[in-house]
Amino acid sequence: MAPKHHPTPLSGGLRSALNKELVMARAMTTILATQSAEARAKGEALIRQADKLLCESWNERMWADGGPIDPSPTIDQAINGGYSWLEIECSRCKTRRDVDLAALRHPPTTYAHDLAGRLRCSKFAKANRRPAATLLQLAPRRSHADPES
């Protein structure tokens, strides 16, 4: 956007009035920019809170109903809400493991329930059998150690 050009008036009274208006306009831009930043911060905090509540709601429905519940939070919603770990269990050997959602090579718009068919147990990799994992819940922190370590 091109800057506005304010032609300087010829008389002294009009020049001082124009300068006064320009000073007020510049001060107003600072005030409006500050209010915008505050509103954006409040909005981001509300979105984080909404994402956290969505993850907690999904965890409760998973606990109550079992199985991957549709709809579920997306990977980026879970991470934004503070739930960056997904607890899974091998459907065959019942080994529990935690998956870091930030480290997954899936688009951030992938739903958590869509990961059920994509995550596999690593114990059976050598036997060329990789049973699917069962989703348990989203977690804010890691709760299980890796079985490989």
Side-chain angles (χ1 to χ4, degrees), residues 24-38:
M24 287 176 36
R26 288 183 185 116
M28 193 57 143
T29 59
T30 305
I31 292 169
L32 292 174
T34 304
Q35 289 176 350
S36 172
E38 290 171 357

Side-chain angles (χ1 to χ4, degrees), residues 55-120:
C55 292
E56 290 173 358
S57 168
W58 188 73
N59 282 343
E60 290 296 323
R61 283 186 293 144
M62 286 287 290
W63 181 80
D65 300 335
I69 306 296
D70 180 19
S72 63
T74 61
I75 292 174
D76 58 347
Q77 286 174 330
I79 292 171
N80 189 38
Y83 286 81
S84 57
W85 293 92
L86 179 64
E87 292 181 19
I88 62 171
E89 179 181 72
C90 175
S91 59
R92 187 168 182 179
C93 67
K94 303 299 182 202
T95 302
R96 289 185 174 210
R97 197 176 67 146
D98 293 324
V99 177
D100 185 8
L101 292 175
L104 288 178
R105 293 187 203 166
H106 294 287
T109 55
T110 303
Y111 289 99
H113 73 272
D114 287 340
L115 296 173
R118 299 176 186 176
L119 298 173
R120 305 279 183 215

Side-chain angles (χ1 to χ4, degrees), residues 126-148:
K126 294 177 184 171
N128 282 338
R129 289 182 297 221
R130 297 188 56 128
T134 304
L135 302 182
L136 298 177
Q137 69 176 357
L138 291 167
R141 67 185 77 76
R142 187 177 200 160
S143 59
H144 301 96
D146 279 339
E148 296 92 37

